[in-house]
Amino acid sequence: MRVLVVEDEQYMARVIEMGLRRASMAVDVVHDGEAALEKAAVYDYDAVVLDRDLPGVHGDEVCRRIVAQGLDCRILMLTAAGRLGDKVEGLGLGADDYLAKPFDFPELVARLRALYRRSPQAHAPVLTFADLTFDTHRRRVTRAGHEVRLTPKELAVLELLMRADGGVLSAEYLLDKAWDAHADPLTNAVRLVVHTLRKKLGEPQLVHTAISAGYYLGAA
């Protein structure tokens, strides 16, 4: 899951970024509305965490433009304006969810994952393939009933592969979805993560390489 965080308070933005990364999400951060619109136009985000009170282009206008452009991402407004009227107004602008500050971080993560499950390409929160099971809510992977300990990046790549349901995902696609905008497009990070993921999942091998095309899940 790739998320754009739009928050003008840099300390708050950093806290949100670090927390979402620990939850296996790829995160880009901007601090004003104009930069948010530029990022949303270039990158394929699954969700935008949007503060309403932004410098420059107001958060409400950012929301309106993203919705008007038909961008395929969910919008979660995160703001200190927590009265019922503020929530109704925010949702009326086209936001998919609204969370008032201060908030409990697990709730933010849960709401983002719920929004992701509601997207057209999403599936059930518990994914299965052969003897592999991934509870995306608890971030817990088991194979043949035994828990497999994975890093946040390995979890992110595995989730993308499992949601593809056997389809081939290119390294470029995985890099775009599981890494942030600072990732070098020529890096071998995807290959290295897939390599360690294969080792941890064990035999028989489930993650396969389609030569010159990408990676996919396949039963032995």
Coordinates of all heavy atoms in Angstrom, one line a residue, residues 109-181:
V109 N -4.1 3.6 11.2 CA -3.7 2.4 10.3 C -4.9 1.6 9.9 O -5.0 1.2 8.8 CB -2.6 1.6 11.1 CG1 -2.3 0.3 10.3 CG2 -1.3 2.4 11.3
A110 N -5.7 1.3 10.9 CA -6.9 0.5 10.6 C -7.8 1.1 9.6 O -8.4 0.4 8.7 CB -7.7 0.2 11.9
R111 N -8.0 2.4 9.7 CA -8.9 3.1 8.7 C -8.3 3.1 7.3 O -9.0 2.9 6.3 CB -9.1 4.5 9.2 CG -10.1 4.7 10.4 CD -10.2 6.1 10.9 NE -11.1 6.3 12.0 CZ -12.3 6.8 11.9 NH1 -12.7 7.3 10.7 NH2 -13.0 6.9 13.0
L112 N -6.9 3.3 7.2 CA -6.3 3.2 5.9 C -6.4 1.8 5.3 O -6.7 1.7 4.1 CB -4.8 3.6 6.1 CG -4.6 5.1 6.2 CD1 -3.1 5.3 6.5 CD2 -5.0 5.9 5.0
R113 N -6.2 0.8 6.1 CA -6.4 -0.6 5.6 C -7.8 -0.9 5.2 O -8.1 -1.6 4.2 CB -5.9 -1.6 6.6 CG -4.4 -1.6 6.7 CD -3.8 -2.6 7.7 NE -2.4 -2.6 7.8 CZ -1.7 -2.9 8.8 NH1 -2.3 -3.3 9.9 NH2 -0.4 -2.9 8.8
A114 N -8.8 -0.3 5.9 CA -10.2 -0.5 5.6 C -10.5 0.2 4.2 O -11.2 -0.3 3.4 CB -11.1 0.1 6.7
L115 N -9.9 1.4 4.0 CA -10.1 2.1 2.8 C -9.5 1.3 1.6 O -10.0 1.2 0.5 CB -9.5 3.5 2.8 CG -10.1 4.5 3.7 CD1 -9.4 5.8 3.7 CD2 -11.6 4.8 3.2
Y116 N -8.3 0.7 1.9 CA -7.6 -0.1 0.8 C -8.5 -1.3 0.4 O -8.6 -1.7 -0.7 CB -6.3 -0.5 1.3 CG -5.5 -1.3 0.3 CD1 -5.2 -0.7 -0.9 CD2 -4.9 -2.5 0.6 CE1 -4.4 -1.4 -1.9 CE2 -4.2 -3.2 -0.3 CZ -3.9 -2.6 -1.6 OH -3.1 -3.3 -2.5
R117 N -9.1 -1.9 1.4 CA -9.9 -3.1 1.1 C -11.2 -2.7 0.3 O -11.7 -3.5 -0.4 CB -10.4 -3.8 2.4 CG -9.2 -4.5 3.2 CD -9.8 -5.4 4.2 NE -10.5 -4.8 5.3 CZ -10.0 -4.3 6.4 NH1 -8.7 -4.4 6.6 NH2 -10.7 -3.7 7.3
R118 N -11.6 -1.4 0.4 CA -12.8 -1.0 -0.3 C -12.4 -0.6 -1.7 O -13.3 -0.3 -2.5 CB -13.4 0.2 0.4 CG -14.2 -0.2 1.6 CD -14.5 1.0 2.5 NE -14.9 2.2 1.8 CZ -15.0 3.4 2.4 NH1 -14.6 3.5 3.7 NH2 -15.3 4.4 1.7
S119 N -11.1 -0.5 -2.1 CA -10.7 -0.1 -3.4 C -11.1 -1.3 -4.4 O -11.1 -2.4 -4.0 CB -9.2 0.2 -3.5 OG -8.5 -0.9 -3.2
P120 N -11.3 -0.9 -5.7 CA -11.7 -1.9 -6.7 C -10.8 -3.1 -6.8 O -11.2 -4.2 -7.0 CB -11.8 -1.1 -8.0 CG -11.9 0.3 -7.5 CD -11.2 0.4 -6.3
Q121 N -9.5 -2.9 -6.6 CA -8.5 -4.0 -6.8 C -8.3 -4.8 -5.6 O -7.5 -5.8 -5.6 CB -7.2 -3.5 -7.3 CG -6.4 -2.7 -6.3 CD -6.7 -1.2 -6.2 OE1 -7.8 -0.9 -6.6 NE2 -5.8 -0.4 -5.7
A122 N -8.9 -4.5 -4.4 CA -8.6 -5.1 -3.2 C -9.4 -6.4 -3.0 O -10.4 -6.6 -3.7 CB -8.8 -4.2 -2.0
H123 N -8.9 -7.3 -2.1 CA -9.5 -8.5 -1.8 C -9.8 -8.6 -0.3 O -9.7 -7.6 0.4 CB -8.6 -9.7 -2.3 CG -8.3 -9.7 -3.7 ND1 -9.2 -10.0 -4.7 CD2 -7.2 -9.3 -4.4 CE1 -8.6 -9.9 -5.9 NE2 -7.4 -9.5 -5.7
A124 N -10.1 -9.8 0.1 CA -10.4 -10.0 1.5 C -9.2 -9.7 2.4 O -8.0 -9.8 1.9 CB -10.9 -11.5 1.7
P125 N -9.4 -9.4 3.7 CA -8.3 -9.0 4.6 C -7.4 -10.2 4.9 O -6.2 -10.0 5.3 CB -8.9 -8.5 5.8 CG -10.3 -9.0 5.8 CD -10.7 -9.1 4.3
V126 N -7.9 -11.5 4.7 CA -7.0 -12.6 4.9 C -6.8 -13.3 3.5 O -7.7 -13.7 2.9 CB -7.7 -13.7 5.9 CG1 -6.8 -14.9 6.0 CG2 -7.9 -13.0 7.2
L127 N -5.5 -13.3 3.1 CA -5.2 -13.8 1.8 C -4.6 -15.2 1.9 O -3.9 -15.5 2.9 CB -4.1 -12.9 1.2 CG -4.5 -11.4 1.1 CD1 -3.3 -10.6 0.6 CD2 -5.7 -11.1 0.3
T128 N -4.9 -16.1 1.0 CA -4.4 -17.4 1.0 C -3.9 -17.8 -0.4 O -4.4 -17.4 -1.4 CB -5.5 -18.4 1.4 OG1 -6.6 -18.4 0.5 CG2 -5.9 -18.2 2.8
F129 N -2.8 -18.6 -0.4 CA -2.3 -19.1 -1.6 C -1.6 -20.5 -1.3 O -0.7 -20.4 -0.5 CB -1.3 -18.2 -2.3 CG -0.9 -18.7 -3.7 CD1 -1.6 -18.4 -4.8 CD2 0.2 -19.5 -3.8 CE1 -1.2 -18.8 -6.1 CE2 0.6 -20.0 -5.0 CZ -0.1 -19.7 -6.2
A130 N -2.1 -21.6 -1.8 CA -1.6 -22.9 -1.5 C -1.7 -23.0 0.1 O -2.7 -22.8 0.6 CB -0.2 -23.1 -2.0
D131 N -0.5 -23.3 0.7 CA -0.5 -23.5 2.2 C -0.1 -22.2 2.9 O 0.3 -22.2 4.1 CB 0.4 -24.6 2.6 CG 1.8 -24.5 2.1 OD1 2.1 -23.6 1.4 OD2 2.6 -25.3 2.6
L132 N -0.1 -21.1 2.1 CA 0.4 -19.8 2.7 C -0.8 -18.9 3.0 O -1.8 -18.8 2.2 CB 1.2 -19.1 1.6 CG 1.9 -17.8 2.0 CD1 3.0 -18.0 3.1 CD2 2.5 -17.1 0.8
T133 N -0.8 -18.4 4.2 CA -1.9 -17.5 4.7 C -1.3 -16.2 5.2 O -0.3 -16.2 5.9 CB -2.7 -18.2 5.8 OG1 -3.3 -19.4 5.3 CG2 -3.8 -17.2 6.3
F134 N -1.9 -15.1 4.8 CA -1.5 -13.8 5.2 C -2.7 -13.0 5.8 O -3.6 -12.6 5.1 CB -0.9 -13.0 4.0 CG -0.3 -11.7 4.3 CD1 0.4 -11.0 3.3 CD2 -0.3 -11.1 5.6 CE1 1.0 -9.8 3.6 CE2 0.3 -9.9 5.9 CZ 1.0 -9.2 4.8
D135 N -2.7 -12.8 7.1 CA -3.7 -12.0 7.8 C -3.2 -10.5 7.7 O -2.3 -10.1 8.5 CB -3.8 -12.4 9.2 CG -4.9 -11.7 10.0 OD1 -5.2 -10.5 9.6 OD2 -5.5 -12.2 10.9
T136 N -3.7 -9.8 6.8 CA -3.2 -8.4 6.5 C -3.6 -7.5 7.6 O -3.0 -6.4 7.8 CB -3.8 -7.9 5.2 OG1 -5.2 -7.8 5.2 CG2 -3.3 -8.8 4.0
H137 N -4.6 -7.8 8.4 CA -4.9 -6.9 9.6 C -3.9 -7.1 10.7 O -3.4 -6.1 11.2 CB -6.3 -7.3 10.1 CG -6.7 -6.5 11.3 ND1 -7.0 -5.2 11.3 CD2 -6.9 -6.9 12.6 CE1 -7.3 -4.7 12.5 NE2 -7.3 -5.8 13.3
R138 N -3.5 -8.3 11.0 CA -2.6 -8.6 12.1 C -1.1 -8.6 11.5 O -0.2 -8.7 12.3 CB -2.9 -9.9 12.8 CG -4.2 -9.9 13.5 CD -4.5 -11.2 14.2 NE -5.7 -11.2 15.0 CZ -6.9 -11.3 14.5 NH1 -7.1 -11.5 13.2 NH2 -8.0 -11.3 15.3
R139 N -1.0 -8.5 10.2 CA 0.3 -8.6 9.6 C 1.1 -9.8 10.0 O 2.2 -9.9 10.3 CB 1.2 -7.3 10.0 CG 0.5 -6.0 9.8 CD -0.1 -5.8 8.5 NE 0.8 -5.6 7.4 CZ 0.5 -5.6 6.1 NH1 -0.8 -5.8 5.7 NH2 1.4 -5.4 5.2
R140 N 0.3 -11.0 9.9 CA 0.9 -12.2 10.3 C 0.8 -13.2 9.1 O -0.2 -13.4 8.5 CB 0.1 -12.8 11.5 CG 0.6 -14.1 12.1 CD -0.2 -14.4 13.3 NE 0.4 -15.6 14.0 CZ -0.1 -16.9 13.8 NH1 -1.2 -17.0 12.9 NH2 0.4 -17.9 14.4
V141 N 1.9 -13.8 8.9 CA 2.1 -14.8 7.7 C 2.3 -16.2 8.3 O 3.2 -16.3 9.2 CB 3.2 -14.4 6.8 CG1 3.4 -15.5 5.7 CG2 2.9 -13.0 6.1
T142 N 1.6 -17.2 7.8 CA 1.9 -18.5 8.2 C 2.0 -19.4 6.9 O 1.3 -19.1 5.9 CB 0.8 -19.1 9.1 OG1 -0.5 -19.1 8.4 CG2 0.7 -18.3 10.4
R143 N 2.8 -20.4 7.0 CA 2.9 -21.4 6.0 C 2.8 -22.8 6.6 O 3.6 -23.1 7.5 CB 4.2 -21.3 5.2 CG 4.1 -22.3 4.0 CD 5.2 -22.1 3.0 NE 4.9 -22.9 1.8 CZ 5.8 -23.1 0.8 NH1 7.0 -22.5 0.8 NH2 5.5 -23.9 -0.2
A144 N 1.8 -23.6 6.1 CA 1.5 -24.9 6.7 C 1.3 -24.8 8.2 O 1.7 -25.7 8.9 CB 2.6 -25.9 6.3
G145 N 0.7 -23.7 8.6 CA 0.4 -23.5 10.1 C 1.6 -23.0 10.9 O 1.4 -22.7 12.1
H146 N 2.7 -22.8 10.3 CA 3.9 -22.2 11.0 C 4.1 -20.8 10.7 O 4.1 -20.4 9.5 CB 5.2 -23.0 10.7 CG 5.1 -24.5 11.0 ND1 5.1 -24.9 12.3 CD2 4.9 -25.6 10.2 CE1 5.0 -26.3 12.3 NE2 4.8 -26.7 11.1
E147 N 4.3 -19.9 11.7 CA 4.5 -18.5 11.5 C 5.8 -18.2 10.8 O 6.8 -18.8 11.1 CB 4.4 -17.7 12.8 CG 4.4 -16.2 12.6 CD 4.0 -15.4 13.8 OE1 3.8 -16.1 14.9 OE2 4.0 -14.2 13.7
V148 N 5.7 -17.3 9.8 CA 6.9 -16.8 9.1 C 7.2 -15.4 9.4 O 6.3 -14.5 9.2 CB 6.7 -17.0 7.6 CG1 8.0 -16.6 6.8 CG2 6.4 -18.4 7.2
R149 N 8.3 -15.1 10.0 CA 8.6 -13.7 10.4 C 9.2 -12.9 9.2 O 10.2 -13.3 8.7 CB 9.7 -13.7 11.5 CG 9.2 -14.4 12.8 CD 8.2 -13.6 13.6 NE 7.9 -14.2 14.9 CZ 7.2 -13.6 15.8 NH1 6.6 -12.4 15.6 NH2 6.9 -14.2 16.9
L150 N 8.5 -11.8 8.8 CA 9.0 -11.1 7.7 C 9.2 -9.6 8.1 O 8.5 -9.1 9.0 CB 7.9 -11.1 6.6 CG 7.6 -12.5 6.0 CD1 6.5 -12.4 4.9 CD2 8.9 -13.2 5.4
T151 N 10.0 -8.9 7.4 CA 10.2 -7.5 7.6 C 9.0 -6.7 6.9 O 8.3 -7.3 6.1 CB 11.5 -7.0 6.9 OG1 11.4 -7.1 5.5 CG2 12.7 -7.8 7.4
P152 N 8.9 -5.4 7.3 CA 7.8 -4.7 6.7 C 7.9 -4.6 5.2 O 6.8 -4.7 4.5 CB 8.0 -3.3 7.3 CG 8.6 -3.5 8.6 CD 9.5 -4.7 8.4
K153 N 9.0 -4.5 4.6 CA 9.2 -4.5 3.1 C 8.8 -5.8 2.5 O 8.2 -5.9 1.5 CB 10.6 -4.1 2.7 CG 10.7 -3.6 1.3 CD 9.8 -2.3 1.0 CE 10.3 -1.1 1.8 NZ 9.5 0.1 1.5
E154 N 9.2 -6.9 3.2 CA 8.9 -8.3 2.7 C 7.4 -8.5 2.8 O 6.8 -9.1 1.9 CB 9.6 -9.3 3.5 CG 11.1 -9.3 3.2 CD 11.9 -10.1 4.3 OE1 11.3 -10.5 5.3 OE2 13.2 -10.2 4.2
L155 N 6.8 -8.0 3.8 CA 5.3 -8.1 4.0 C 4.6 -7.3 2.8 O 3.6 -7.8 2.3 CB 4.9 -7.6 5.3 CG 5.1 -8.4 6.5 CD1 4.9 -7.6 7.8 CD2 4.3 -9.7 6.5
A156 N 5.1 -6.2 2.5 CA 4.5 -5.3 1.5 C 4.6 -6.0 0.1 O 3.6 -6.1 -0.6 CB 5.2 -4.0 1.4
V157 N 5.7 -6.6 -0.2 CA 5.9 -7.3 -1.5 C 5.0 -8.5 -1.5 O 4.4 -8.8 -2.6 CB 7.4 -7.6 -1.7 CG1 7.5 -8.5 -2.9 CG2 8.2 -6.3 -1.9
L158 N 5.0 -9.3 -0.5 CA 4.2 -10.5 -0.4 C 2.7 -10.2 -0.6 O 2.0 -10.9 -1.3 CB 4.4 -11.3 0.9 CG 3.6 -12.5 1.0 CD1 4.0 -13.5 -0.1 CD2 3.9 -13.2 2.4
E159 N 2.3 -9.1 0.0 CA 0.9 -8.8 -0.1 C 0.5 -8.4 -1.5 O -0.5 -8.9 -2.0 CB 0.5 -7.6 0.8 CG -1.0 -7.2 0.7 CD -1.4 -6.2 1.8 OE1 -0.5 -5.8 2.6 OE2 -2.5 -5.8 1.8
L160 N 1.4 -7.7 -2.2 CA 1.1 -7.3 -3.6 C 1.1 -8.6 -4.5 O 0.2 -8.7 -5.3 CB 2.2 -6.4 -4.1 CG 2.2 -5.0 -3.5 CD1 3.5 -4.2 -3.9 CD2 1.0 -4.2 -4.1
L161 N 2.0 -9.5 -4.2 CA 2.0 -10.8 -5.0 C 0.8 -11.6 -4.8 O 0.2 -12.2 -5.7 CB 3.3 -11.6 -4.7 CG 4.6 -11.0 -5.2 CD1 5.8 -11.7 -4.6 CD2 4.7 -11.0 -6.7
M162 N 0.4 -11.7 -3.5 CA -0.8 -12.5 -3.2 C -2.1 -11.9 -3.7 O -3.0 -12.6 -4.2 CB -0.9 -12.7 -1.7 CG 0.2 -13.5 -1.1 SD 0.0 -14.0 0.7 CE -1.2 -15.3 0.5
R163 N -2.2 -10.5 -3.7 CA -3.3 -9.9 -4.3 C -3.4 -10.0 -5.8 O -4.5 -9.9 -6.4 CB -3.4 -8.4 -3.8 CG -3.7 -8.2 -2.4 CD -4.0 -6.8 -2.0 NE -4.2 -6.6 -0.6 CZ -5.3 -6.9 0.1 NH1 -6.3 -7.4 -0.5 NH2 -5.3 -6.6 1.4
A164 N -2.2 -10.2 -6.4 CA -2.2 -10.4 -7.9 C -2.7 -11.7 -8.3 O -3.0 -12.0 -9.5 CB -0.8 -10.2 -8.4
D165 N -2.9 -12.7 -7.3 CA -3.6 -14.0 -7.6 C -2.9 -14.7 -8.8 O -3.5 -15.2 -9.7 CB -5.0 -13.8 -7.9 CG -5.9 -15.0 -7.8 OD1 -5.4 -15.9 -7.0 OD2 -6.9 -15.2 -8.5
G166 N -1.6 -14.8 -8.7 CA -0.8 -15.6 -9.7 C -0.4 -14.7 -10.9 O 0.4 -15.2 -11.8
G167 N -0.8 -13.5 -11.0 CA -0.4 -12.6 -12.1 C 1.0 -12.2 -11.9 O 1.5 -12.1 -10.8
V168 N 1.7 -11.9 -13.0 CA 3.1 -11.4 -13.0 C 3.1 -9.9 -12.7 O 2.5 -9.1 -13.4 CB 3.8 -11.7 -14.3 CG1 5.2 -11.2 -14.3 CG2 3.8 -13.2 -14.6
L169 N 3.9 -9.6 -11.7 CA 4.1 -8.2 -11.3 C 5.6 -7.8 -11.7 O 6.5 -8.5 -11.2 CB 3.9 -7.9 -9.8 CG 2.5 -8.3 -9.3 CD1 2.3 -7.9 -7.9 CD2 1.4 -7.5 -10.1
S170 N 5.8 -6.7 -12.4 CA 7.1 -6.3 -12.8 C 7.8 -5.7 -11.6 O 7.2 -5.3 -10.6 CB 7.0 -5.3 -13.9 OG 6.5 -4.1 -13.4
A171 N 9.1 -5.7 -11.7 CA 10.0 -5.1 -10.6 C 9.6 -3.6 -10.5 O 9.6 -3.0 -9.4 CB 11.4 -5.3 -10.9
E172 N 9.3 -3.0 -11.6 CA 9.0 -1.6 -11.6 C 7.7 -1.3 -10.9 O 7.5 -0.4 -10.1 CB 8.8 -1.0 -13.1 CG 10.1 -1.0 -13.8 CD 10.6 -2.3 -14.4 OE1 9.8 -3.3 -14.3 OE2 11.7 -2.4 -14.8
Y173 N 6.7 -2.2 -11.1 CA 5.4 -2.1 -10.4 C 5.6 -2.3 -8.8 O 5.1 -1.5 -8.0 CB 4.4 -3.1 -10.9 CG 3.1 -3.1 -10.2 CD1 2.1 -2.2 -10.6 CD2 2.8 -3.9 -9.1 CE1 0.9 -2.2 -9.9 CE2 1.6 -3.9 -8.4 CZ 0.6 -3.0 -8.8 OH -0.6 -3.0 -8.2
L174 N 6.4 -3.3 -8.5 CA 6.6 -3.5 -7.1 C 7.4 -2.4 -6.4 O 7.1 -1.9 -5.3 CB 7.4 -4.8 -6.9 CG 6.7 -6.1 -7.2 CD1 7.6 -7.3 -7.2 CD2 5.5 -6.4 -6.3
L175 N 8.3 -1.8 -7.2 CA 9.1 -0.6 -6.7 C 8.2 0.5 -6.5 O 8.3 1.3 -5.5 CB 10.2 -0.3 -7.6 CG 11.3 0.7 -7.2 CD1 12.1 0.1 -6.0 CD2 12.2 1.1 -8.3
D176 N 7.2 0.7 -7.4 CA 6.3 1.9 -7.3 C 5.3 1.7 -6.2 O 5.0 2.7 -5.5 CB 5.5 2.0 -8.6 CG 4.5 3.1 -8.6 OD1 5.0 4.3 -8.6 OD2 3.3 2.9 -8.7
K177 N 4.9 0.5 -5.9 CA 3.9 0.3 -4.9 C 4.5 0.1 -3.4 O 3.8 0.5 -2.5 CB 3.0 -0.9 -5.2 CG 2.0 -0.7 -6.3 CD 1.0 0.4 -5.8 CE -0.2 0.5 -6.8 NZ -1.2 1.5 -6.3
A178 N 5.6 -0.5 -3.3 CA 6.2 -0.9 -2.0 C 7.3 0.0 -1.5 O 7.7 -0.1 -0.4 CB 6.6 -2.3 -2.0
W179 N 7.8 0.9 -2.4 CA 8.8 1.8 -2.0 C 8.3 3.3 -2.2 O 7.3 3.5 -2.8 CB 10.1 1.6 -2.9 CG 11.0 0.5 -2.4 CD1 12.1 0.6 -1.6 CD2 10.8 -0.9 -2.6 NE1 12.7 -0.6 -1.3 CE2 11.9 -1.6 -1.9 CE3 9.9 -1.7 -3.3 CZ2 12.0 -2.9 -1.9 CZ3 10.0 -3.0 -3.3 CH2 11.1 -3.7 -2.6
D180 N 9.0 4.3 -1.7 CA 8.6 5.6 -1.8 C 9.2 6.3 -3.0 O 10.0 5.7 -3.8 CB 8.8 6.4 -0.5 CG 10.3 6.5 -0.1 OD1 11.1 6.5 -1.0 OD2 10.6 6.4 1.1
A181 N 9.0 7.6 -3.2 CA 9.4 8.3 -4.4 C 10.9 8.5 -4.4 O 11.5 8.9 -5.4 CB 8.8 9.7 -4.4

